[in-house]
Amino acid sequence: MARITLTLPSQFIFNTRLTVRVSDINYGGHVGNDTILALMQDARVIFYKHLGFDGEISFEGSVGQIIADAVVVYKSESFLGDQLSVDIAVTDFNKYGFDMFYLITNLNTGKETARGKTGIVCFDYEKRKVAPIPKVLLKKLQAA
C-alpha cells in the first residue's frame, strides 16, 4: 500500500510548545491520531493570536477561516506529559486562502511526532460563503 508523503517547506515562521494532556491519550496509551489535528488547531490559534487576531473566525469583520483539507503523517509516539514543539509555515497563497504546514517534534525524545498540512480558506461567517483573504491577514502572514 502506498503511503502518503508530505514534504515540508524549508523555512518555518512560528514555533510554540504544547504539553500532552490526559485527554490527548487514547486506549493505546499514547497521543491519539485524531488528537494530532486538535494539536495543530491549538498551535494555529496561538499563531493567529501572536499575529494579533482573536482566533480563527475573526480576521476582519465577519471573515475568518475554515479548513478545506487536512493531511497528517504520523511519525512516532508521544505520551502524557511530553512537551511538543510545533513549527508552522504558510505557503501557496491564492485569492481565497493558503496552506499551513506543521512540524510536531517531541522534545522529550527528540523525535518527529507528526507533520501536517491544512488548506485554509477564508470564510465570511455572516454571508456563509468563501471570501478573499483579508489584506490585514495577508500582510501579517507575509511579514511573519
Side-chain angles (χ1 to χ4, degrees):
M1 174 169 72
R3 296 282 175 213
I4 293 173
T5 59
L6 183 61
T7 303
L8 297 174
S10 59
Q11 185 176 0
F12 290 87
I13 59 172
F14 181 75
N15 175 272
T16 191
R17 292 187 178 179
L18 302 172
T19 302
V20 176
R21 305 161 303 167
V22 69
S23 59
D24 298 329
I25 304 300
N26 67 12
Y27 58 84
H30 53 224
V31 171
N33 64 323
D34 57 325
T35 300
I36 296 296
L37 285 169
L39 292 169
M40 288 166 43
Q41 181 180 24
D42 287 345
R44 187 171 57 248
V45 169
I46 293 166
F47 172 56
Y48 287 144
K49 287 184 179 240
H50 171 76
L51 294 178
F53 299 106
D54 288 334
E56 299 177 306
I57 60 170
S58 182
F59 298 134
E60 184 175 71
S62 61
V63 176
Q65 67 141 68
I66 56 174
I67 301 297
D69 56 58
V71 175
V72 178
V73 177
Y74 306 96
K75 297 289 196 171
S76 68
E77 296 178 295
S78 291
F79 302 97
L80 180 63
D82 283 353
Q83 295 292 306
L84 304 178
S85 171
V86 184
D87 290 295
I88 291 178
V90 290
T91 65
D92 298 327
F93 291 94
N94 63 57
K95 181 179 179 180
Y96 299 104
F98 51 92
D99 287 336
M100 189 173 288
F101 288 85
Y102 313 81
L103 171 60
I104 304 173
T105 305
N106 185 321
L107 296 175
N108 295 66
T109 65
K111 293 180 179 178
E112 182 178 337
T113 297
R115 54 180 59 188
K117 181 198 83 74
T118 51
I120 308 291
V121 174
C122 291
F123 187 78
D124 188 319
Y125 281 90
E126 282 182 8
K127 296 178 182 174
R128 309 305 297 174
K129 63 185 223 176
V130 171
I133 299 175
K135 289 179 182 162
V136 64
L137 173 62
L138 184 60
K139 183 178 178 181
K140 288 183 178 191
L141 288 172
Q142 291 177 333

